[in-house]
Amino acid sequence: DVKVTQSSRYLVKRTGEKVFLECVQDMDHENMFWYRQDPGLGLRLIYFSYDVKMKEKGDIPEGYSVSREKKERFSLILESASTNQTSMYLCASSLGSGRADTQYFGPGTRLTVL
Amino acid sequence: AQKVTQAQTEISVVEKEDVTLDCVYETRDTTYYLFWYKQPPSGELVFLIRRNSFDEQNEISGRYSWNFQKSTSSFNFTITASQVVDSAVYFCALQIYNFNKFYFGSGTKLNVKP
């Protein structure tokens, strides 16, 4: 079974803090994704990575950056957290064949920025 | 442009009732994949099914069944004899062949009452 883990289930930070969200997958997947989920908006893609050190912007990259130094780990960074970044953050990974890759999700991190 | 619409924001049923969750998609591509995911209160999205655009055969898995109709661009999900454990948010998603990105609907929250 694919296992995607996220470093924290719940996180509370203050405005202006630098926040790191970590995601690890154990299935040697090429692709990794970060989404945020807000009520009524579904899942919106922030960034994804298709290889180590490679990344592409998703639909809402503003205010975020990412890092992928190792294949199994994909980090989402909030350089200076703001209250409008309070949300549920979901990490996913997929094999990388590019044709029909099911995405497998982690349990999510619910971030509150005060 | 790609788009997935789940018009039902929330549905409530009593246990043992049948319920259908609607999913309508838009794409001009001829090769694509459709997915359903379940998100229980714990937060993790659980993969349920993937269909490709060339396979319109309906699928049944236990109490779950899926009806894919290209003529109406729909990929509906039916739960037969619903149970309390089916209570969750269900997401429909679209992926275009050879692209990593998923297009998610906004989700349908299903409440199954005992």
Side-chain angles (χ1 to χ4, degrees):
Chain A
D1 280 353
V2 176
K3 189 71 173 178
V4 180
T5 57
Q6 295 181 229
S7 51
S8 306
R9 291 301 302 273
Y10 299 93
L11 208 52
V12 180
K13 295 293 182 180
R14 296 211 173 270
T15 301
E17 280 192 72
K18 190 169 185 176
V19 181
F20 292 87
L21 303 182
E22 303 283 341
C23 176
V24 177
Q25 50 93 5
D26 67 356
M27 283 303 291
D28 202 34
H29 282 176
E30 301 287 338
N31 300 330
M32 296 187 76
F33 306 82
W34 275 107
Y35 293 89
R36 66 176 280 176
Q37 181 182 5
D38 300 288
L41 297 177
L43 277 73
R44 293 180 292 169
L45 181 64
I46 304 171
Y47 267 98
F48 73 94
S49 168
Y50 50 90
D51 200 352
V52 174
K53 297 190 187 294
M54 307 302 287
K55 62 185 179 185
E56 281 198 27
K57 292 180 180 179
D59 299 316
I60 52 164
E62 297 77 20
Y64 303 94
S65 62
V66 290
S67 172
R68 192 161 181 207
E69 297 295 322
K70 293 185 178 181
K71 192 174 186 180
E72 67 272 17
R73 188 179 298 269
F74 191 35
S75 302
L76 179 69
I77 304 156
L78 286 66
E79 295 291 342
S80 178
S82 63
T83 55
N84 63 12
Q85 292 177 310
T86 291
S87 187
M88 171 73 126
Y89 290 88
L90 291 160
C91 175
S93 72
S94 68
L95 181 62
S97 67
R99 289 173 293 175
D101 287 344
T102 300
Q103 291 189 17
Y104 296 93
F105 285 82
T109 296
R110 191 167 292 281
L111 173 67
T112 302
V113 182
L114 302 175
Chain B
Q2 275 61 238
K3 186 179 178 182
V4 176
T5 301
Q6 294 180 255
Q8 303 152 308
T9 305
E10 188 165 353
I11 301 174
S12 292
V13 298
V14 177
E15 208 171 18
K16 296 185 183 177
E17 281 186 29
D18 299 347
V19 59
T20 296
L21 309 182
D22 297 333
C23 173
V24 174
Y25 63 93
E26 296 176 29
T27 182
R28 291 182 180 177
D29 287 79
T30 56
T31 305
Y32 52 88
Y33 299 86
L34 296 164
F35 299 77
W36 275 96
Y37 286 84
K38 174 183 179 179
Q39 186 180 40
S42 58
E44 179 175 344
L45 266 77
V46 177
F47 165 69
L48 295 178
I49 189 171
R50 181 184 78 198
R51 303 295 281 179
N52 73 59
S53 53
F54 298 108
D55 183 3
E56 287 192 73
Q57 193 168 13
N58 291 337
E59 179 149 345
I60 298 174
S61 175
R63 296 182 299 106
Y64 295 172
S65 63
W66 291 269
N67 181 276
F68 176 27
Q69 291 194 338
K70 287 177 76 171
S71 60
T72 56
S73 297
S74 64
F75 185 44
N76 296 337
F77 174 29
T78 297
I79 302 174
T80 303
S82 59
Q83 300 177 1
V84 173
V85 293
D86 295 327
S87 295
V89 180
Y90 290 86
F91 289 96
C92 180
L94 166 71
Q95 182 194 19
I96 305 306
Y97 181 80
N98 264 342
F99 284 89
N100 291 307
K101 186 174 179 178
F102 272 37
Y103 298 86
F104 282 92
S106 54
T108 297
K109 184 176 182 182
L110 175 64
N111 302 304
V112 182
K113 300 175 183 178

